[in-house]
Amino acid sequence: QVQLVESGGGLVQAGDSLRLSCAASGRTFNAMGWFRQAPGKEREFVAAVGRFGIGDRTYYVDSVKGRFTISRDSDKNTLYLQMKNLKPEDTAVYYCAASSRPTFTLVFSGRSSYDYWGQGTQVTVSS
């Protein structure tokens, strides 16, 4: 049974940092990503990492480039999102997502590319 369990969210002030983790179990994945959903808004893409050959490629939404870093530890089957210089507009529930499909078939920013989702972790950034 596949499970994705996020952790690391919390309440921080603007300019602070947080690191989110997503522990995966049940299988390994070709691609994993983070999405977020703020109140009253649609779930949006944040970052993703995909395996191509022997290496990974990373993808980010423009609004987090230079502030967020996605990475994964294959040995632990865990995905991370290091978030720095957080802003109030980063406030949202953050969801981990995973896909076992071939990476060349994926649109990494698209929700439909991912087959598995975690329950989410709340990140609140106060001004």
Side-chain angles (χ1 to χ4, degrees):
Q1 182 179 357
V2 173
Q3 275 193 315
L4 303 176
V5 180
E6 301 99 333
S7 61
L11 171 62
V12 297
Q13 293 186 330
D16 286 351
S17 299
L18 274 178
R19 189 177 79 155
L20 304 183
S21 299
C22 172
S25 60
R27 67 173 301 160
T28 57
F29 301 98
N30 291 328
M32 298 185 75
W34 292 97
F35 287 72
R36 65 187 180 188
Q37 188 167 16
K41 295 187 177 181
E42 290 193 356
R43 192 171 299 187
E44 66 169 358
F45 169 74
V46 177
V49 56
R51 177 63 50 85
F52 289 87
I54 61 172
D56 282 347
R57 296 181 191 173
T58 57
Y59 306 85
Y60 298 92
V61 68
D62 286 346
S63 60
V64 307
K65 285 180 180 177
R67 299 189 299 122
F68 291 10
T69 302
I70 190 170
S71 63
R72 63 175 164 178
D73 185 329
S74 296
D75 291 339
K76 296 181 179 179
N77 206 12
T78 299
L79 180 73
Y80 302 99
L81 185 68
Q82 178 68 52
M83 304 184 294
K84 298 180 179 180
N85 191 21
L86 282 160
K87 303 176 180 181
E89 51 263 42
D90 295 319
T91 295
V93 177
Y94 283 70
Y95 297 91
C96 174
S99 175
S100 56
R101 306 177 210 177
T103 48
F104 70 89
T105 69
L106 299 179
V107 175
F108 285 88
S109 60
R111 287 177 290 175
S112 62
S113 291
Y114 300 88
D115 304 304
Y116 306 97
W117 292 84
Q119 293 301 305
T121 185
Q122 176 71 47
V123 173
T124 303
V125 184
S126 63
S127 58

